[in-house]
């Protein structure tokens, strides 16, 4: 509610509403919209790139042996994985789509209070990677929700003996998780605040002097 104040010459002037009066700020939704848009953009880019590289691998590597790149540091070796890394859980393929659906639901819930652009990139990478592999689980052979994931990149060995054969979706997931860990360690919150700043504001002046 605005207040009117009488001036000395009898005219009325409108005073600014006091802080905390509940007046809506038209820009309050802007950080959230930007963060959500960035999350969706990163996720879509990651998903499309993963689908394209998998299709290229199927087209170019089917029936071929491993292709050596960078002097043997990287090999392109087409495989189909029914499990996780190192084929862990290959006898329980149906579990992985359920886990992925849970991850997607968690990211959707996190997006409700998301206002941090770095966190948007992190969650977008995780979402895009999760959807990329979920697409394989649902639509590829041998059947719905038990499909095998297409992998094609092997490091230092053509058959994944040094590191599990992976795809672009796996890379997105790993990069997103590592970025999330970094953001947590540096105190960056998903709502755009900094944990260190909040802790400093909560301290009394005496505590701040003692810590200094």
């Amino acid at each position: 509610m605005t207040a009117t104040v009488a001036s000395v010459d009898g005219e009325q002037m409108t005073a600014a509403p006091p802080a905390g009066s509940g007046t809506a700020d038209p820009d309050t939704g802007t950080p959230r919209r930007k963060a959500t848009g960035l999350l969706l953009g990163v996720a879509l880019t990651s998903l499309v790139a993963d689908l394209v590289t998998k299709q290229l691998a199927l087209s170019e590597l089917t029936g071929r042996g491993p292709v050596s790149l960078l002097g043997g540091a990287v090999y392109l070796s087409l495989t189909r994985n029914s499990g996780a890394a190192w084929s862990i859980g290959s006898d329980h393929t149906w579990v992985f789509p359920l886990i992925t659906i849970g991850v997607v639901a968690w990211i959707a819930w996190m997006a409700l209070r998301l206002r941090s652009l770095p966190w948007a990139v992190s969650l977008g990478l995780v979402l895009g990677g999760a959807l990329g592999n979920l697409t394989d689980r649902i639509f590829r052979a041998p059947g719905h929700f038990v499909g095998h994931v297409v992998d094609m990149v092997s490091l230092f060995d053509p058959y994944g003996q040094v590191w599990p054969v992976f795809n672009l979706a796996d890379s997105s997931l790993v990069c997103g998780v590592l970025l999330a860990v970094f953001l947590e360690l540096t105190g960056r919150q998903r709502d755009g605040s900094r944990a260190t700043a909040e802790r400093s504001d909560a301290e009394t002046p005496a505590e701040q002097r003692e810590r200094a």
Side-chain angles (χ1 to χ4, degrees):
M1 174 181 293
T2 58
T4 57
V5 180
S7 65
V8 293
D9 57 2
E11 295 182 353
Q12 289 185 335
M13 299 177 61
T14 301
S21 61
T23 303
D25 183 352
D27 294 330
T28 52
T30 300
R32 180 181 170 187
R33 287 196 295 269
K34 287 183 178 179
T36 304
L38 180 60
L39 186 157
L40 295 176
V42 170
L44 181 61
T45 301
S46 175
L47 174 60
V48 171
D50 178 64
L51 296 178
V52 169
T53 54
K54 286 175 178 175
Q55 188 57 47
L56 288 174
L58 291 171
S59 301
E60 302 297 329
L61 299 177
T62 299
R64 294 182 59 180
V67 177
S68 176
L69 301 175
L70 302 177
V74 177
Y75 289 88
L76 298 181
S77 182
L78 182 63
T79 63
R80 290 175 174 82
N81 186 7
S82 61
W86 282 293
S87 297
I88 296 174
S90 57
D91 295 331
H92 301 85
T93 305
W94 58 271
V95 172
F96 297 103
L98 299 180
I99 295 174
T100 303
I101 291 172
V103 170
V104 172
W106 175 77
I107 292 176
W109 178 78
M110 295 293 291
L112 296 177
R113 60 191 296 267
L114 182 67
R115 287 170 175 78
S116 167
L117 297 184
W119 269 106
V121 173
S122 171
L123 295 176
L125 288 171
V126 173
L127 179 60
L131 291 176
N133 284 338
L134 179 62
T135 302
D136 284 4
R137 301 290 187 191
I138 295 177
F139 297 108
R140 296 194 188 276
H144 297 312
F145 284 92
V146 290
H148 295 180
V149 173
V150 175
D151 293 325
M152 77 291 292
V153 182
S154 183
L155 301 179
F156 309 113
D157 181 88
Y159 301 106
Q161 298 300 312
V162 177
W163 189 261
V165 184
F166 61 94
N167 55 41
L168 197 58
D170 299 327
S171 299
S172 296
L173 281 166
V174 171
C175 291
V177 170
L178 290 177
L179 178 56
V181 171
F182 171 78
L183 294 174
E184 285 286 356
L185 292 177
T186 55
R188 297 177 182 269
Q189 304 297 298
R190 286 169 289 278
D191 61 1
S193 63
R194 294 290 294 270
T196 53
E198 292 176 355
R199 187 163 54 248
S200 177
D201 292 341
E203 292 177 345
T204 64
E207 290 174 336
Q208 292 179 1
R209 288 194 299 270
E210 182 179 350
R211 183 166 57 84

